[in-house]
Amino acid sequence: MKKILVTGVTGVVGKSTVEHLLKKGVPASQIIGLSRKRENIEELAAKGIEIRIGDYSDYNSLVAAFKDIDKIMLTSAVAFTDRSAHHYNVITAAREAGVKHVVYMSIMRREGSGRVMPEVTESDIFTEQLLKSSGLNYTIVYHPPFADLLSFYYGPNPYEHGIKVPAKNGKMLPATRDELAEAHAEILSTPGHENKTYSLGGSHPISFSEIAKILAEIKGQPVSFTTITPEEYIDGIVAQGVSRNVAEFITNWVLAIEGGEFEYQSGDLERLLGRKTKTFRDLMVTSLE
């Protein structure tokens, strides 16, 4: 019986991937969740999902957790950790344990742009190269910005404060974490994805200036849009109590969006889902009700 293991199962993307595997008819007995802690696993365990404890920084725990596993969904490590070392441990442990196929969640990069996103790009490239040379079957899925977290960039109350970002009309193709997790589940549960890459941009291009217009239309209240300098944006985030290095990290995402790093439309996500992704307007109408 082939088994699928999903790492980071207590996080939103990992948990949602497991839930979509169940919806697609994969028996709970064939799904394993990996967590580095025993907290917040009760809901999945109640559905019959076996939870194995393993830590990206503990190689031996990974080898043990990957026993009898056929496919692994490698949910990428978070920024401000040693992502390269963590991913190296997962891929090397997978090979030692006899895993056949690893799916890796990377961040979209525009071909030929040369942009380096600190804390992300170099470790993503390292992981992809390691995976391709590992002898394992691989699938690399490139994620766009998360549509359900875009307010992270423009603030929680745009109706009062407006949207002030170091951007003008640069577009992105966001998708929700749930849509991306559903695509993961499709790849994990069906054949034919070996040694392929998928760019999972959403169906609807949007810019921060368009976000301001849409929010204004939804509530019939004005939302001002102002282009500010990266330094002003960083200072504004720091003023909210965020550390400067995190503020700079967030700013790099906005600058990448403005630079078109996430606007490539491959159609891959629509094909995996069998439908178009939700629009930002639809998401906001639901959340603002």
Side-chain angles (χ1 to χ4, degrees), residues 142-288:
Y142 290 99
H143 279 199
F146 297 144
D148 46 326
L149 291 182
L150 291 180
S151 62
F152 184 70
Y153 302 111
Y154 61 76
N157 195 349
Y159 294 98
E160 181 178 347
H161 303 298
I163 293 178
K164 300 174 182 178
V165 290
K168 294 181 181 178
N169 298 307
K171 293 184 182 290
M172 57 183 148
L173 286 163
T176 67
R177 288 174 291 176
D178 188 66
E179 289 166 334
L180 295 165
E182 184 178 345
H184 295 174
E186 178 67 15
I187 291 167
L188 291 164
S189 63
T190 59
H193 305 289
E194 294 82 1
N195 306 325
K196 292 184 178 180
T197 61
Y198 296 102
S199 183
L200 302 185
S203 306
H204 311 284
I206 194 168
S207 66
F208 284 107
S209 60
E210 289 169 334
I211 285 174
K213 292 177 183 177
I214 290 168
L215 291 173
E217 291 168 359
I218 289 173
K219 293 188 72 172
Q221 298 178 24
V223 176
S224 63
F225 175 80
T226 307
T227 299
I228 59 177
T229 67
E231 292 74 19
E232 290 171 324
Y233 185 71
I234 291 170
D235 289 343
I237 297 172
V238 171
Q240 299 171 34
V242 178
S243 66
R244 189 165 191 86
N245 64 328
V246 173
E248 291 172 348
F249 177 74
I250 297 169
T251 303
N252 277 315
W253 279 85
V254 177
L255 294 175
I257 291 167
E258 176 67 7
E261 201 74 9
F262 311 116
E263 66 176 349
Y264 172 60
Q265 173 56 276
S266 68
D268 289 342
L269 184 54
E270 290 182 7
R271 285 188 286 271
L272 288 165
L273 298 179
R275 65 181 188 278
K276 291 185 179 296
T277 59
K278 295 178 181 178
T279 66
F280 177 77
R281 181 185 297 273
D282 287 342
L283 285 173
M284 289 300 99
V285 166
T286 301
S287 65
L288 292 173

Side-chain angles (χ1 to χ4, degrees), residues 6-268:
V6 179
T7 75
V9 78
T10 58
V12 173
V13 174
K15 182 181 178 183
S16 187
T17 298
V18 168
E19 291 172 342
H20 279 292
L21 284 169
L22 291 170
K23 290 176 184 177
K24 290 180 180 297
V26 179
S29 59
Q30 292 180 230
I31 305 171
I32 312 294
L34 183 79
S35 175
R36 61 183 174 84
K37 53 189 178 181
R38 297 187 181 278
E39 292 80 17
N40 303 318
I41 62 175
E42 296 82 4
E43 185 178 346
L44 289 176
K47 295 179 180 180
I49 305 299
E50 178 187 350
I51 306 296
R52 297 181 183 177
I53 303 301
D55 193 306
Y56 286 173
S57 63
D58 182 348
Y59 181 82
N60 290 332
S61 75
L62 297 175
V63 175
F66 296 163
K67 183 181 178 182
D68 301 323
I69 298 298
D70 182 67
K71 294 181 181 180
I72 290 176
M73 177 70 228
L74 171 49
T75 307
S76 55
V78 298
F80 302 102
T81 64
D82 193 346
R83 295 174 91 238
S84 292
H86 291 168
H87 298 164
Y88 176 87
N89 284 344
V90 173
I91 293 167
T92 308
R95 185 171 57 188
E96 181 176 336
V99 173
K100 300 295 190 297
H101 188 168
V102 173
V103 181
Y104 175 61
M105 169 183 138
S106 197
I107 303 298
M108 285 178 69
R109 301 189 301 272
R110 182 164 59 88
E111 187 174 358
S113 76
R115 181 186 295 273
V116 174
M117 296 271 286
E119 298 292 330
V120 173
T121 304
E122 291 178 347
S123 52
D124 271 350
I125 292 173
F126 168 83
T127 304
E128 293 163 26
Q129 292 174 341
L130 176 66
L131 192 50
K132 289 178 179 180
S133 64
S134 68
L136 298 166
N137 287 322
Y138 67 85
T139 308
I140 297 168
V141 291
Y142 290 99
H143 279 199
F146 297 144
D148 46 326
L149 291 182
L150 291 180
S151 62
F152 184 70
Y153 302 111
Y154 61 76
N157 195 349
Y159 294 98
E160 181 178 347
H161 303 298
I163 293 178
K164 300 174 182 178
V165 290
K168 294 181 181 178
N169 298 307
K171 293 184 182 290
M172 57 183 148
L173 286 163
T176 67
R177 288 174 291 176
D178 188 66
E179 289 166 334
L180 295 165
E182 184 178 345
H184 295 174
E186 178 67 15
I187 291 167
L188 291 164
S189 63
T190 59
H193 305 289
E194 294 82 1
N195 306 325
K196 292 184 178 180
T197 61
Y198 296 102
S199 183
L200 302 185
S203 306
H204 311 284
I206 194 168
S207 66
F208 284 107
S209 60
E210 289 169 334
I211 285 174
K213 292 177 183 177
I214 290 168
L215 291 173
E217 291 168 359
I218 289 173
K219 293 188 72 172
Q221 298 178 24
V223 176
S224 63
F225 175 80
T226 307
T227 299
I228 59 177
T229 67
E231 292 74 19
E232 290 171 324
Y233 185 71
I234 291 170
D235 289 343
I237 297 172
V238 171
Q240 299 171 34
V242 178
S243 66
R244 189 165 191 86
N245 64 328
V246 173
E248 291 172 348
F249 177 74
I250 297 169
T251 303
N252 277 315
W253 279 85
V254 177
L255 294 175
I257 291 167
E258 176 67 7
E261 201 74 9
F262 311 116
E263 66 176 349
Y264 172 60
Q265 173 56 276
S266 68
D268 289 342

